[in-house]
Amino acid sequence: MNPSWFERPDWPADHELELRQALISAVVSLPNGDRLTDEDAEWKALYLLSASNWGRNEEQPHNRPASQKKTNQDLRKLNALCEKTVAHIKQMNQPAVGAYFREGSDLWTLEAKLSEAAEIAQHAFGPIEADVARGATKIAAAQVTEEAAGLFEHITGLRPTFTTNPETKEITGAWPSFVSAIFSALYIDASVEAQVRALKEKSRKK
C-alpha cells in the first residue's frame, strides 16, 4: 500500500478506501492489468470514480437541466470571486504583504489555495456518500460503461466484446466481467447486460 495514500485528497473519506481497492482490483485483474504500476492503476480507478460521480451528479433532481442555470451561476460566482482575490493579492504593496505575514499567515499559500478553488469550481463533481442509494442510476451506469470501455481497450489491447450463450442468452467474457466488478464497487444497481449491449449498439451507429 502506498504510504502517502492517506494524505492524498483524491479519496478523502474513510469509507472510500474499500471502494478504491475494489476498483483497483478490477483494473489489475484485466488481461495485462498486472503490468500497470500501482500509481497508474490507482489513477485509472480514480478516472472511473470521476465518471460515476459525474453521472450521479447529473442524476440528482436538483442538478437536472431545470436547475442547471443556478448551479452554473453559483460556480461562476465562486470562480470569479477566487480569481478576483488572487488578482488583488498579486498587486498588493509590500507593506501590506509584510503586515499580513506578521500576523502569522502565509499569503502565498492563500493565493495558491484560492487559485486551486477557482479551478475546482470549473470541474466540480458530487462525491459518492457512504450511504449512497443503490437504486438504478441510468446516467452513471451509461457513463461508467462508456469510460470503462476505453480503459478496457487501452489496458488489454482488445475490443470490449462479449460472448452470448445461444440457449440462455447469457453474456460472458472479460469485458462484461469488468463492468460487473466496477458496478459492484460503485454501488450501481443496473443491468450489465443492458449496458454493454447498449454501448455496442451505440458504437455500431457511429
PDB file of all heavy atoms in Angstrom, residues 177-195:
ATOM      1  N   SER A 177     -17.432  -8.909 -17.386  1.00  0.00           N
ATOM      2  CA  SER A 177     -16.972  -9.182 -16.013  1.00  0.00           C
ATOM      3  C   SER A 177     -16.347  -7.931 -15.409  1.00  0.00           C
ATOM      4  O   SER A 177     -16.528  -7.639 -14.221  1.00  0.00           O
ATOM      5  CB  SER A 177     -15.954 -10.324 -16.003  1.00  0.00           C
ATOM      6  OG  SER A 177     -16.560 -11.544 -16.389  1.00  0.00           O
ATOM      7  N   PHE A 178     -15.618  -7.181 -16.226  1.00  0.00           N
ATOM      8  CA  PHE A 178     -15.001  -5.936 -15.786  1.00  0.00           C
ATOM      9  C   PHE A 178     -16.073  -4.921 -15.400  1.00  0.00           C
ATOM     10  O   PHE A 178     -16.007  -4.303 -14.341  1.00  0.00           O
ATOM     11  CB  PHE A 178     -14.130  -5.390 -16.917  1.00  0.00           C
ATOM     12  CG  PHE A 178     -13.398  -4.110 -16.596  1.00  0.00           C
ATOM     13  CD1 PHE A 178     -12.664  -3.977 -15.421  1.00  0.00           C
ATOM     14  CD2 PHE A 178     -13.426  -3.045 -17.483  1.00  0.00           C
ATOM     15  CE1 PHE A 178     -11.967  -2.801 -15.138  1.00  0.00           C
ATOM     16  CE2 PHE A 178     -12.736  -1.868 -17.217  1.00  0.00           C
ATOM     17  CZ  PHE A 178     -12.008  -1.743 -16.037  1.00  0.00           C
ATOM     18  N   VAL A 179     -17.082  -4.773 -16.248  1.00  0.00           N
ATOM     19  CA  VAL A 179     -18.173  -3.834 -15.961  1.00  0.00           C
ATOM     20  C   VAL A 179     -18.912  -4.249 -14.685  1.00  0.00           C
ATOM     21  O   VAL A 179     -19.263  -3.409 -13.858  1.00  0.00           O
ATOM     22  CB  VAL A 179     -19.159  -3.761 -17.141  1.00  0.00           C
ATOM     23  CG1 VAL A 179     -20.335  -2.847 -16.804  1.00  0.00           C
ATOM     24  CG2 VAL A 179     -18.456  -3.240 -18.387  1.00  0.00           C
ATOM     25  N   SER A 180     -19.125  -5.544 -14.524  1.00  0.00           N
ATOM     26  CA  SER A 180     -19.819  -6.049 -13.337  1.00  0.00           C
ATOM     27  C   SER A 180     -19.045  -5.704 -12.066  1.00  0.00           C
ATOM     28  O   SER A 180     -19.632  -5.277 -11.061  1.00  0.00           O
ATOM     29  CB  SER A 180     -19.993  -7.565 -13.442  1.00  0.00           C
ATOM     30  OG  SER A 180     -20.640  -8.079 -12.299  1.00  0.00           O
ATOM     31  N   ALA A 181     -17.722  -5.866 -12.103  1.00  0.00           N
ATOM     32  CA  ALA A 181     -16.891  -5.567 -10.930  1.00  0.00           C
ATOM     33  C   ALA A 181     -16.934  -4.073 -10.600  1.00  0.00           C
ATOM     34  O   ALA A 181     -16.988  -3.680  -9.427  1.00  0.00           O
ATOM     35  CB  ALA A 181     -15.452  -6.009 -11.187  1.00  0.00           C
ATOM     36  N   ILE A 182     -16.941  -3.236 -11.632  1.00  0.00           N
ATOM     37  CA  ILE A 182     -16.993  -1.789 -11.427  1.00  0.00           C
ATOM     38  C   ILE A 182     -18.339  -1.370 -10.847  1.00  0.00           C
ATOM     39  O   ILE A 182     -18.417  -0.573  -9.915  1.00  0.00           O
ATOM     40  CB  ILE A 182     -16.725  -1.046 -12.748  1.00  0.00           C
ATOM     41  CG1 ILE A 182     -15.294  -1.295 -13.206  1.00  0.00           C
ATOM     42  CG2 ILE A 182     -16.974   0.453 -12.593  1.00  0.00           C
ATOM     43  CD1 ILE A 182     -15.015  -0.814 -14.604  1.00  0.00           C
ATOM     44  N   PHE A 183     -19.424  -1.915 -11.418  1.00  0.00           N
ATOM     45  CA  PHE A 183     -20.761  -1.584 -10.909  1.00  0.00           C
ATOM     46  C   PHE A 183     -20.885  -1.977  -9.443  1.00  0.00           C
ATOM     47  O   PHE A 183     -21.472  -1.248  -8.639  1.00  0.00           O
ATOM     48  CB  PHE A 183     -21.822  -2.309 -11.730  1.00  0.00           C
ATOM     49  CG  PHE A 183     -22.169  -1.640 -13.033  1.00  0.00           C
ATOM     50  CD1 PHE A 183     -21.398  -0.611 -13.538  1.00  0.00           C
ATOM     51  CD2 PHE A 183     -23.280  -2.053 -13.768  1.00  0.00           C
ATOM     52  CE1 PHE A 183     -21.716   0.011 -14.741  1.00  0.00           C
ATOM     53  CE2 PHE A 183     -23.607  -1.440 -14.970  1.00  0.00           C
ATOM     54  CZ  PHE A 183     -22.825  -0.410 -15.458  1.00  0.00           C
ATOM     55  N   SER A 184     -20.335  -3.125  -9.094  1.00  0.00           N
ATOM     56  CA  SER A 184     -20.410  -3.598  -7.716  1.00  0.00           C
ATOM     57  C   SER A 184     -19.656  -2.654  -6.785  1.00  0.00           C
ATOM     58  O   SER A 184     -20.143  -2.293  -5.714  1.00  0.00           O
ATOM     59  CB  SER A 184     -19.820  -5.012  -7.622  1.00  0.00           C
ATOM     60  OG  SER A 184     -19.812  -5.470  -6.283  1.00  0.00           O
ATOM     61  N   ALA A 185     -18.465  -2.217  -7.207  1.00  0.00           N
ATOM     62  CA  ALA A 185     -17.656  -1.323  -6.384  1.00  0.00           C
ATOM     63  C   ALA A 185     -18.317   0.029  -6.188  1.00  0.00           C
ATOM     64  O   ALA A 185     -18.244   0.623  -5.107  1.00  0.00           O
ATOM     65  CB  ALA A 185     -16.280  -1.143  -7.017  1.00  0.00           C
ATOM     66  N   LEU A 186     -18.985   0.511  -7.234  1.00  0.00           N
ATOM     67  CA  LEU A 186     -19.583   1.844  -7.201  1.00  0.00           C
ATOM     68  C   LEU A 186     -21.050   1.835  -6.777  1.00  0.00           C
ATOM     69  O   LEU A 186     -21.715   2.870  -6.821  1.00  0.00           O
ATOM     70  CB  LEU A 186     -19.465   2.492  -8.589  1.00  0.00           C
ATOM     71  CG  LEU A 186     -18.041   2.797  -9.057  1.00  0.00           C
ATOM     72  CD1 LEU A 186     -18.036   3.219 -10.519  1.00  0.00           C
ATOM     73  CD2 LEU A 186     -17.421   3.881  -8.189  1.00  0.00           C
ATOM     74  N   TYR A 187     -21.556   0.674  -6.378  1.00  0.00           N
ATOM     75  CA  TYR A 187     -22.955   0.554  -5.959  1.00  0.00           C
ATOM     76  C   TYR A 187     -23.924   0.989  -7.060  1.00  0.00           C
ATOM     77  O   TYR A 187     -24.943   1.632  -6.794  1.00  0.00           O
ATOM     78  CB  TYR A 187     -23.230   1.373  -4.686  1.00  0.00           C
ATOM     79  CG  TYR A 187     -22.346   1.005  -3.530  1.00  0.00           C
ATOM     80  CD1 TYR A 187     -21.447   1.925  -3.013  1.00  0.00           C
ATOM     81  CD2 TYR A 187     -22.408  -0.264  -2.960  1.00  0.00           C
ATOM     82  CE1 TYR A 187     -20.618   1.589  -1.946  1.00  0.00           C
ATOM     83  CE2 TYR A 187     -21.583  -0.598  -1.903  1.00  0.00           C
ATOM     84  CZ  TYR A 187     -20.693   0.331  -1.397  1.00  0.00           C
ATOM     85  OH  TYR A 187     -19.882  -0.009  -0.348  1.00  0.00           O
ATOM     86  N   ILE A 188     -23.606   0.640  -8.287  1.00  0.00           N
ATOM     87  CA  ILE A 188     -24.503   0.950  -9.406  1.00  0.00           C
ATOM     88  C   ILE A 188     -25.385  -0.272  -9.650  1.00  0.00           C
ATOM     89  O   ILE A 188     -24.917  -1.313 -10.112  1.00  0.00           O
ATOM     90  CB  ILE A 188     -23.707   1.305 -10.679  1.00  0.00           C
ATOM     91  CG1 ILE A 188     -22.914   2.589 -10.453  1.00  0.00           C
ATOM     92  CG2 ILE A 188     -24.644   1.453 -11.875  1.00  0.00           C
ATOM     93  CD1 ILE A 188     -22.055   3.008 -11.629  1.00  0.00           C
ATOM     94  N   ASP A 189     -26.644  -0.135  -9.317  1.00  0.00           N
ATOM     95  CA  ASP A 189     -27.592  -1.243  -9.454  1.00  0.00           C
ATOM     96  C   ASP A 189     -28.252  -1.156 -10.824  1.00  0.00           C
ATOM     97  O   ASP A 189     -29.382  -0.686 -10.965  1.00  0.00           O
ATOM     98  CB  ASP A 189     -28.632  -1.168  -8.338  1.00  0.00           C
ATOM     99  CG  ASP A 189     -29.561  -2.371  -8.343  1.00  0.00           C
ATOM    100  OD1 ASP A 189     -29.273  -3.339  -9.087  1.00  0.00           O
ATOM    101  OD2 ASP A 189     -30.576  -2.345  -7.628  1.00  0.00           O
ATOM    102  N   ALA A 190     -27.518  -1.588 -11.828  1.00  0.00           N
ATOM    103  CA  ALA A 190     -28.023  -1.544 -13.199  1.00  0.00           C
ATOM    104  C   ALA A 190     -27.609  -2.833 -13.902  1.00  0.00           C
ATOM    105  O   ALA A 190     -26.675  -3.515 -13.476  1.00  0.00           O
ATOM    106  CB  ALA A 190     -27.463  -0.334 -13.937  1.00  0.00           C
ATOM    107  N   SER A 191     -28.299  -3.170 -14.973  1.00  0.00           N
ATOM    108  CA  SER A 191     -28.026  -4.396 -15.708  1.00  0.00           C
ATOM    109  C   SER A 191     -26.754  -4.251 -16.538  1.00  0.00           C
ATOM    110  O   SER A 191     -26.668  -3.410 -17.428  1.00  0.00           O
ATOM    111  CB  SER A 191     -29.207  -4.712 -16.639  1.00  0.00           C
ATOM    112  OG  SER A 191     -28.865  -5.733 -17.554  1.00  0.00           O
ATOM    113  N   VAL A 192     -25.778  -5.096 -16.228  1.00  0.00           N
ATOM    114  CA  VAL A 192     -24.533  -5.092 -17.004  1.00  0.00           C
ATOM    115  C   VAL A 192     -24.827  -5.468 -18.451  1.00  0.00           C
ATOM    116  O   VAL A 192     -24.318  -4.845 -19.385  1.00  0.00           O
ATOM    117  CB  VAL A 192     -23.519  -6.089 -16.396  1.00  0.00           C
ATOM    118  CG1 VAL A 192     -22.318  -6.254 -17.318  1.00  0.00           C
ATOM    119  CG2 VAL A 192     -23.084  -5.627 -15.014  1.00  0.00           C
ATOM    120  N   GLU A 193     -25.657  -6.476 -18.621  1.00  0.00           N
ATOM    121  CA  GLU A 193     -26.006  -6.928 -19.975  1.00  0.00           C
ATOM    122  C   GLU A 193     -26.621  -5.795 -20.781  1.00  0.00           C
ATOM    123  O   GLU A 193     -26.247  -5.560 -21.941  1.00  0.00           O
ATOM    124  CB  GLU A 193     -26.982  -8.102 -19.902  1.00  0.00           C
ATOM    125  CG  GLU A 193     -27.397  -8.612 -21.272  1.00  0.00           C
ATOM    126  CD  GLU A 193     -28.335  -9.801 -21.196  1.00  0.00           C
ATOM    127  OE1 GLU A 193     -28.470 -10.375 -20.101  1.00  0.00           O
ATOM    128  OE2 GLU A 193     -28.936 -10.149 -22.231  1.00  0.00           O
ATOM    129  N   ALA A 194     -27.566  -5.086 -20.186  1.00  0.00           N
ATOM    130  CA  ALA A 194     -28.232  -3.997 -20.899  1.00  0.00           C
ATOM    131  C   ALA A 194     -27.244  -2.895 -21.269  1.00  0.00           C
ATOM    132  O   ALA A 194     -27.300  -2.333 -22.373  1.00  0.00           O
ATOM    133  CB  ALA A 194     -29.361  -3.427 -20.050  1.00  0.00           C
ATOM    134  N   GLN A 195     -26.317  -2.588 -20.366  1.00  0.00           N
ATOM    135  CA  GLN A 195     -25.370  -1.508 -20.613  1.00  0.00           C
ATOM    136  C   GLN A 195     -24.354  -1.859 -21.699  1.00  0.00           C
ATOM    137  O   GLN A 195     -24.062  -1.041 -22.574  1.00  0.00           O
ATOM    138  CB  GLN A 195     -24.640  -1.140 -19.318  1.00  0.00           C
ATOM    139  CG  GLN A 195     -25.514  -0.459 -18.289  1.00  0.00           C
ATOM    140  CD  GLN A 195     -26.119   0.841 -18.799  1.00  0.00           C
ATOM    141  OE1 GLN A 195     -25.466   1.603 -19.514  1.00  0.00           O
ATOM    142  NE2 GLN A 195     -27.356   1.098 -18.441  1.00  0.00           N
TER     143      GLN A 195
END
